[in-house]
Amino acid sequence: MNLRSRRSAALPTLLLVMTLNATSLGAPAPARAGTYVVQACDADSGRNHSWTPYVNVPGVMYAGTLCPTGGSSRRGLVARTFGLGSGRLPYGALAQMRLDAPTRSSVIGYAIRGWAATRQGTGGWRTGIERPGAFHGCGPSASGCSVDFRGAWTTMPSSPWLALTTTCTARAGCGAPNGTPAAQVHAYSASVRIRDDTRPTIGAVGSAWGDGQWHRGTVSLIYSGSDNSGICRVAVTADQGQPLTSTSYSRDDGSVTPCGTTPFGGLTVDTRAAATTVSDGAHVFRLSATDAAGNVSTQQAQ
């Protein structure tokens, strides 16, 4: 936006003349790779806004959120079997808690505290932490098994999802006796690192910012924007980055889209305050949007 300003002798205010057209928009700022962390259960004050349960044999497999744990080893993000007496569950029986990365982003690491175990004599159960093409846990084992997850950060290749999984891998099916679940995984605390290289999209910029007239007092700016992880901050600067105004949106670090999608918004620039930052004359103003991973997009005019 090419803004020319003229100071009034009578009023300590900045008078701005503003023009905006399609040919005046500068090239978007280069994308900057960034990451953010999504937390759940005891890592997020007992909440779960990011892991989704799935079972394919309802009533005999369980996946769900039992948070906060309150110190109980039987709670957390849970994927397990139910006891069936002398019954057996079919090959492929599955209980899963799964976190899916937003579109155009990926899971690159995690820190999970919890445990997984299978019961002796129950056959081909496998339980633990899963990503596409890899599994960290225990089983299948005829004698039973257990493993602890101690909360250390684990890096991994970029993947679209991460899951807590309990599944039957035996073609003949797996035992599910009464009492202790045949197989189970519990996560008391889960932190997942998401990589996002996609910068926000800034759409139409409107209102008085494009009318080509002189302005004093407050000037409204209406914009549209979107981002796969959410727009967390929008700001207007002048020339060499002198701040004029900004707004930050509420952030939920328990969500895979921490700042929502924020498709529309508005800002107000007080030219009286701007007069203390920039002088009368021609100026370059920029509107920038920052997402949850710190990627920035900018629109400007010369």
Side-chain angles (χ1 to χ4, degrees):
M1 285 152 275
N2 188 339
L3 308 185
R4 295 197 304 276
S5 62
R6 181 178 61 207
R7 196 181 311 275
S8 167
L11 295 172
T13 184
L14 191 67
L15 301 182
L16 306 177
V17 60
M18 310 176 186
T19 60
L20 176 65
N21 54 60
T23 60
S24 69
L25 296 180
R32 182 177 69 81
T35 66
Y36 59 96
V37 174
V38 179
Q39 299 176 324
C41 205
D42 289 355
D44 192 34
S45 302
R47 303 182 305 165
N48 173 31
H49 295 169
S50 49
W51 296 74
T52 303
Y54 172 77
V55 297
N56 64 357
V57 188
V60 292
M61 302 292 290
Y62 171 80
T65 301
L66 302 176
C67 298
T69 64
S72 170
S73 64
R74 300 296 177 182
R75 295 178 63 83
L77 305 175
V78 181
R80 62 177 172 83
T81 66
F82 282 129
L84 292 176
S86 60
R88 297 184 68 81
L89 288 177
Y91 169 73
L94 175 73
Q96 190 174 75
M97 292 292 287
R98 176 164 149 167
L99 181 147
D100 290 282
T103 304
R104 302 186 304 280
S105 63
S106 58
V107 178
I108 62 168
Y110 62 87
I112 290 177
R113 288 193 305 108
W115 59 281
T118 65
R119 186 174 169 181
Q120 183 176 1
T122 56
W125 289 106
R126 185 178 69 171
T127 184
I129 302 170
E130 182 181 16
R131 63 173 174 83
F135 197 92
H136 173 48
C138 74
S141 171
S143 59
C145 63
S146 65
V147 63
D148 289 328
F149 310 122
R150 301 186 180 276
W153 275 102
T154 300
T155 58
M156 54 185 273
S158 293
S159 301
W161 54 266
L162 183 72
L164 304 170
T165 299
T166 294
T167 187
C168 175
T169 64
R171 294 286 179 179
C174 300
N178 280 330
T180 302
Q184 56 190 313
V185 56
H186 297 253
Y188 315 139
S189 173
S191 299
V192 177
R193 192 177 303 280
I194 305 289
R195 176 170 180 148
D196 174 20
D197 297 333
T198 304
R199 62 179 180 264
T201 297
I202 300 176
V205 179
S207 192
W209 289 74
D211 66 4
Q213 303 297 314
W214 292 96
H215 292 271
R216 68 169 63 183
T218 59
V219 181
S220 296
L221 167 64
I222 307 299
Y223 61 87
S224 64
S226 62
D227 185 77
N228 56 324
S229 64
I231 295 176
C232 296
R233 185 174 185 271
V234 177
V236 178
T237 59
D239 301 328
Q240 301 305 312
Q242 298 97 314
L244 293 182
T245 189
S246 65
T247 186
S248 296
Y249 295 95
S250 60
R251 180 169 182 139
D252 177 7
D253 287 323
S255 171
V256 294
T257 54
C259 301
T261 54
T262 315
F264 300 100
L267 290 172
T268 299
V269 173
D270 188 338
T271 63
R272 292 160 294 189
T276 66
T277 304
V278 296
S279 61
D280 291 346
H283 299 283
V284 176
F285 279 39
R286 296 175 178 87
L287 172 71
S288 64
T290 305
D291 70 9
N295 300 305
V296 181
S297 281
T298 302
Q299 278 201 19
Q300 70 178 48
Q302 303 296 336

